[in-house]
Amino acid sequence: MSYPARAQQMQPALRIIILTELLVPLTLLVFGAYHGVLQVLYRAGIIRATSFAGIDYYQGLTAHGVINAIVLTTLFAVALGNALVTQELESPLSIFGAGLSLALMLLGAVMAAAMIFTGHATVLYTFYPPLKAHPIFYLGLALFIVGSWVAFYTWIPVYLRWRKNNRDQKTPLAVVGMFATFIVWQMCTIPVAYEVLVMLLPWSLGWTPGVNVVLARTLFWFFGHPLVYFWLLPIYVLYYTMLPRLAGGKLYSDFAGRLSFMAFIVLSCPLGLHHQFADPGISATWKGIQTVLTLFVAIPSMLTAFTLAASMEYGARQRGGTGLFGWWKALPYFSRENWLFSYLFVGLVIFLFGGVTGIINASYNLDNIVHNTAWLPAHFHLTVGGPVFLGILGMSLFLISGLLNKPVGDLSTAVAIPYLWMIGTFTFSTGLFIGGLRGEPRRTNMGLTYLNPASPSYRPDWWTSTHIGAIGGVIMSLAIFLYFVVLIRTLLAPRVESSEPFIIPLSEPYHDENVRSVRNFTPWVVVACVLCIAAYYMPLRDIVRSNYPSAPAYSPASAAPLTQSTNIP
Ligand code: HAS
């Protein structure tokens, strides 16, 4: 089977919905990115204040995490799914369903953002108790997640109808990838929905005296690790279905793509305990078992690495590349025509380092050295801040330009942005990796620097690492600034009249294997559920039986051990 560009007009209402799903979080990104650069400036002591523009360190960090890691990623995944499902299954979507999903997500995002910016939800994107937020924050999060479920539920009947009419055809790979993404999402959001609705919301409303903190953290990480694959999988959809064509060739193996997506369904959820290696109340046996499962989840990414390298080699050779390694030179790194290639390719290069450091984190004993240090933000800016963020920026621009029929403003700058971003993230992460290995904490003390000689927590040996991090953060901000310049110029560009429908150009497979075991989601979902029960039943049972006393609510603002006067001359 090949992947022809399906030439049908998208429903006008769906076009507006998708554009809103892309433009709203990109607008919010202004705040998300601004609070990102403030973090590195606080850390390096370049800003010596406990708050900036009325927003304190933890408040800004919460805004940065929630906007960038939850709102932007989820709305993008829904937008991409809406576009690909309707195109690849050649069917309109329910506008009621897609509209309801958007309305719920926007309402939820506004509720959560309002609480963060008014100082009623300074709980970071992990919202661990005993940090306590206003009930509206928890309700907002719940509505936001339900909205994303509704989007998925609108695709299911379309898929089932397509399946019925095309029994002997393989489901288009892009649809397999988007369904895998939302199956993982559906599975992992159930425990966090329980945490939010049954534990945190009643506690926040004053109906219950406290929360079992160990249970809440464990339910959060049941969600929190698959969350990272929910971020990553839409980008893998772009890698498998667009990158080979942008490189000038074909997807090397269709089967590898399908197997990778199915493997993520099975392996994404039963391993969240690797975020809790340092937590008491969970036995070392279960942490060890989930370590092994974590190492397994790297396998579909490695499969992806080899498949994409082979696909790019094929593309490069089609473009005239020769030699054992000489073909690398023939890829369209700076092509204005294929500008999206640079966003996807640079993301892959960054992910090589993000992935390797993930495997270090996953090693139970090595994680003891880096846990809760600056190493962690370095790792995740090379994963969610690398392939995921660049994929979102590039594909959003591609979709906005295509759906509005407007050319991308300033192609040369558009192509340069990912390279600038890569220089920024590599510099930022180098600083934070070094700092982490020298014991620099992941978060600062209420934004107060460790570089003040008057402070009891003065650590001059962290000067170099924090300043390397700050230089990287500033370069990353510059890349985002340039992205907004290109985006605004695209939005302001005159519309190009065209009778051609907008299509997302997808790759054809080079090897078009037809393997039965990856044609049906059901067995993979069943195995995933069994594995989740096997990995979580005993640890959760132990936590519930232990009946830990609930902790009183805690606010980082009220409990900062260092005062402003001790830290700021
Ligand atoms: Fe992670 C913590 C382990 C992947 C995100 N991770 C985090 C946190 C975030 C995050 C946000 O085991 C912090 C959470 C918090 O707030 O506390 N992570 C892993 C492992 C992987 C991994 C084993 N993480 C990700 C991805 C993320 C992400 C993906 C976001 C999208 N992570 C951990 C652990 C922790 C953790 C522990 C907790 C630590 C602690 O102490 O708290 C794996 O999935 C990685 C597998 C990836 C690979 C790389 C494949 C390479 C590819 C590129 C090929 C390139 C090509 C181009 C072809 C094996 C696909 C070649 C070009 C050339 C020029 C050569």
Side-chain angles (χ1 to χ4, degrees), residues 125 221 228-229 274-275 355 358 361-362 367 371 379-380 383 442:
Y125 87 99
W221 285 117
V228 314
Y229 298 119
H274 69 228
H275 291 264
N361 303 344
D367 187 63
H371 182 64
H379 159 67
F380 65 71
T383 51
R442 172 177 175 165

Side-chain angles (χ1 to χ4, degrees), residues 125-126 221 225 228-229 231-232 236 274-275 277 294 297-298 301-302 304-305 308-309 312 328 345 348-349 351-352 354-356 358-359 361-362 367 370-372 376 379-380 383-384 388 442-443:
Y125 87 99
T126 41
W221 285 117
H225 196 76
V228 314
Y229 298 119
W231 298 334
L232 185 68
Y236 272 17
H274 69 228
H275 291 264
F277 285 151
T294 307
V297 82
S301 282
M302 291 185 186
T304 303
L308 296 180
M312 286 192 288
W328 281 104
F345 176 77
L348 273 179
V349 176
F351 192 41
L352 275 176
V356 169
I359 293 170
N361 303 344
D367 187 63
V370 297
H371 182 64
N372 265 342
L376 257 286
H379 159 67
F380 65 71
T383 51
V384 64
V388 175
R442 172 177 175 165
R443 301 185 179 97

Side-chain angles (χ1 to χ4, degrees), residues 274-338:
H274 69 228
H275 291 264
Q276 294 178 271
F277 285 151
D279 281 19
I282 301 165
S283 87
T285 311
W286 289 103
K287 290 176 180 171
I289 289 170
Q290 295 211 13
T291 299
V292 176
L293 289 168
T294 307
L295 295 173
F296 272 112
V297 82
I299 294 173
S301 282
M302 291 185 186
L303 179 64
T304 303
F306 287 111
T307 311
L308 296 180
S311 309
M312 286 192 288
E313 176 176 354
Y314 177 77
R317 291 194 187 284
Q318 298 303 301
R319 299 166 60 89
T322 51
L324 187 58
F325 297 110
W327 59 266
W328 281 104
K329 287 188 275 182
L331 287 170
Y333 301 108
F334 297 103
S335 160
R336 286 159 55 94
E337 192 193 338
N338 273 349

Side-chain angles (χ1 to χ4, degrees), residues 236-294:
Y236 272 17
V237 170
L238 305 181
Y239 285 165
Y240 276 108
T241 65
M242 293 186 80
L243 182 72
R245 183 165 168 163
L246 291 166
K250 297 181 177 183
L251 171 62
Y252 187 72
S253 164
D254 176 82
F255 168 66
R258 287 168 201 271
L259 181 61
S260 170
F261 287 126
M262 295 301 180
F264 274 112
I265 293 180
V266 170
L267 291 167
S268 291
C269 290
L271 36 83
L273 290 190
H274 69 228
H275 291 264
Q276 294 178 271
F277 285 151
D279 281 19
I282 301 165
S283 87
T285 311
W286 289 103
K287 290 176 180 171
I289 289 170
Q290 295 211 13
T291 299
V292 176
L293 289 168
T294 307

